[in-house]
Amino acid sequence: MNAKSEAQWRDPKRYLWSLGLLVPLFPVLGALVYVQTGQIWGWWLTPLIVYLIIPALDFLIGTDHSNPPESAVANLEADNYYKYIVYAYIPLQYAGTLITVWFACTELGPLGIIAGLFSCAYVNGIGINTGHELGHKRDAFSQFLAKLALAPVAYGHFYVEHNFGHHRRVATPEDPASSKMGESFWRFLPRTVIGSLRSACEIEAQRLERKGLGFWHWRNDVLQAWAMTLLFFGACTIVLGWMALVFLVVQAVLGASLLEVINYVEHYGLLRQKDANGRYERCLPKHSWNSNHIVTNLVLYQLQRHSDHHAHPSRAFQALRHFDDSPQLPSGYASMMMLAYFPPLWFKVMNPRVVAHHRGDFNKANVHPAKIAKLKSYFETFSKTASA
């Protein structure tokens, strides 16, 4: 690309990024369908889209490996349009959540409530990604909105742990959010939930201690985020009764699990190496699984370009790049998270890719301790087959 064409470059996906705003509107559509027809199928649209339509579109539309020219990045990141798209998700998220909670507590039967739970959970689970994008911004308003986006899933501690824990320890055995080769999602889930919660509290306690403050001080970011959850859940409970609290807690568990299955996918089996002083190398694009599948990237603010995100955390979503040396997932997140729910299928698809990425070197993989002997043999078999 020459200098003239770089100067004239325009983001070809500029208006497509707003497609992600359709997601929180699906519960609203579910309510409209129910009001007009008395049918609950509208609330099944969100899980249907997440688990079927988006993977199908990823397959049909394919990938995009193109990157914005570096000369255009400054203007691209300064364009407030992209910021407002992310901001707009939050009021729509709350509207969809409140509408669904109201119908679940006042109108719906058991099957309708189940449909509403999944619809609400996926809106708020994807809302965690909104909180993720805003949590990386440096202005106070974006950071406040990040906590607000996390409140409906009671996962406000993610704001602290992700930015100051996960990004520092990513692709190491010490990181609770980096999955190990041979570790199933169902084994990873309790480890990451408990480990991330503990890590967030420790990080925030240390930050406050440096300021001469105690953990229970009002400036505690974890407590601030949890307070938002308590206010939201409490207000809904006061208005709609205990049924609202039960509904919100269950959808929060489902929504948080959506985040954690994505965490499971993003760094499976990848390991940063230590230098002569015992310090981990800096995070590089090769330490995160990447995907360029267009549709899921549009819905998730290009979260799938995770290799660039971890190598350059302050880079805005619209400017994230593809790197040829980053390990590539065979499909988008929407497909991969379904695969992760079935460990034998996951291992069959991903273990060979981990071995190939590490060129058969077992010492370069982040391996679950209980599977060391089995996977070491697996690496050796791969190496012998490759050299034959």
Side-chain angles (χ1 to χ4, degrees), residues 13 22 29 33 46 75 85 115 126 184 212 217 236 244 267 292 311 330 365:
K13 301 173 189 170
L22 293 176
L29 179 59
V33 169
T46 308
N75 288 334
I85 287 175
I126 294 173
S184 73
H217 196 274
C236 290
H267 306 284
N292 290 297

Side-chain angles (χ1 to χ4, degrees), residues 240-256:
L240 296 170
W242 289 105
M243 176 65 185
L245 180 61
V246 173
F247 182 93
L248 286 168
V249 169
V250 174
Q251 68 82 34
V253 172
L254 293 173

Side-chain angles (χ1 to χ4, degrees), residues 294-310:
I294 295 171
V295 176
T296 305
N297 267 333
L298 289 173
V299 173
L300 295 181
Y301 310 127
Q302 211 152 219
L303 178 68
Q304 296 180 131
R305 286 198 166 178
H306 213 60
S307 294
D308 195 15
H309 170 67
H310 268 281

Side-chain angles (χ1 to χ4, degrees), residues 53 146 182 217 301 328 362:
I53 294 178
H217 196 274
Y301 310 127
Q328 299 297 309
F362 175 81

Side-chain angles (χ1 to χ4, degrees), residues 63-382:
T63 60
D64 175 18
H65 293 74
S66 64
N67 296 327
E70 283 304 304
S71 60
V73 169
N75 288 334
L76 194 60
E77 293 193 325
D79 190 338
N80 285 330
Y81 167 78
Y82 299 96
K83 178 173 65 177
Y84 295 147
I85 287 175
V86 183
Y87 285 178
Y89 189 97
I90 298 173
L92 297 176
Q93 172 190 0
Y94 273 82
T97 300
L98 288 169
I99 287 171
T100 308
V101 173
W102 188 87
F103 272 92
C105 294
T106 61
E107 300 285 336
L108 299 178
L111 289 179
I113 292 172
I114 293 172
L117 278 170
F118 281 101
S119 183
C120 199
Y122 292 133
V123 166
N124 289 321
I126 294 173
I128 297 176
N129 187 50
T130 301
H132 166 261
E133 181 66 24
L134 292 171
H136 279 288
K137 306 304 180 187
R138 296 180 179 178
D139 62 288
F141 183 63
S142 292
Q143 293 173 357
F144 167 78
L145 289 180
K147 298 171 189 173
L148 199 62
L150 296 169
V153 282
Y155 232 60
H157 58 280
F158 173 82
Y159 168 81
V160 171
E161 159 57 20
H162 178 82
N163 289 286
F164 305 106
H166 177 57
H167 269 271
R168 178 167 56 87
R169 296 180 299 227
V170 65
T172 71
E174 292 79 22
D175 181 31
S178 292
S179 57
K180 307 173 193 293
M181 187 179 185
E183 179 181 36
S184 73
F185 168 66
W186 304 109
R187 178 175 286 189
F188 169 80
L189 183 59
R191 179 174 74 82
T192 189
V193 169
I194 296 169
S196 296
L197 176 60
R198 182 186 295 119
S199 174
C201 291
E202 290 173 354
I203 290 168
E204 193 61 4
Q206 291 167 7
R207 183 185 73 86
L208 292 169
E209 185 178 8
R210 290 193 296 269
K211 295 178 177 292
L213 304 174
F215 180 82
W216 298 102
H217 196 274
W218 66 268
R219 290 172 63 181
N220 184 316
D221 283 326
V222 173
L223 297 183
Q224 286 179 11
W226 288 346
M228 292 181 183
T229 297
L230 289 175
L231 287 172
F232 180 58
F233 283 23
C236 290
T237 303
I238 290 171
V239 174
L240 296 170
W242 289 105
M243 176 65 185
L245 180 61
V246 173
F247 182 93
L248 286 168
V249 169
V250 174
Q251 68 82 34
V253 172
L254 293 173
S257 72
L258 190 66
L259 161 73
E260 297 301 358
V261 74
I262 296 301
N263 271 339
Y264 177 80
V265 169
E266 288 172 335
H267 306 284
Y268 178 76
L270 303 179
L271 179 66
R272 286 155 57 197
Q273 302 301 303
K274 288 184 177 181
D275 61 21
N277 296 316
R279 293 175 298 192
Y280 285 110
E281 63 182 316
R282 67 178 294 268
C283 189
L284 300 170
K286 67 180 180 179
H287 296 125
S288 306
W289 289 99
N290 199 69
S291 174
N292 290 297
H293 286 80
I294 295 171
V295 176
T296 305
N297 267 333
L298 289 173
V299 173
L300 295 181
Y301 310 127
Q302 211 152 219
L303 178 68
Q304 296 180 131
R305 286 198 166 178
H306 213 60
S307 294
D308 195 15
H309 170 67
H310 268 281
H312 306 92
S314 62
R315 200 172 180 95
F317 78 88
Q318 64 271 21
L320 291 174
R321 298 157 294 180
H322 162 77
F323 290 92
D324 290 334
D325 63 343
S326 62
Q328 299 297 309
L329 292 169
S331 187
Y333 282 2
S335 302
M336 297 307 297
M337 67 182 186
M338 285 193 294
L339 199 64
Y341 295 143
F342 302 96
L345 292 177
W346 172 265
F347 296 147
K348 184 176 181 180
V349 171
M350 289 303 297
N351 282 1
R353 286 174 167 80
V354 174
V355 178
H357 175 64
H358 295 309
R359 301 180 185 275
D361 188 345
F362 175 81
N363 295 318
K364 290 185 177 180
N366 185 9
V367 177
H368 192 278
K371 301 296 179 70
I372 288 177
K374 181 179 179 180
L375 290 174
K376 192 169 186 178
S377 175
Y378 184 83
F379 270 78
E380 291 171 353
T381 302
F382 176 89

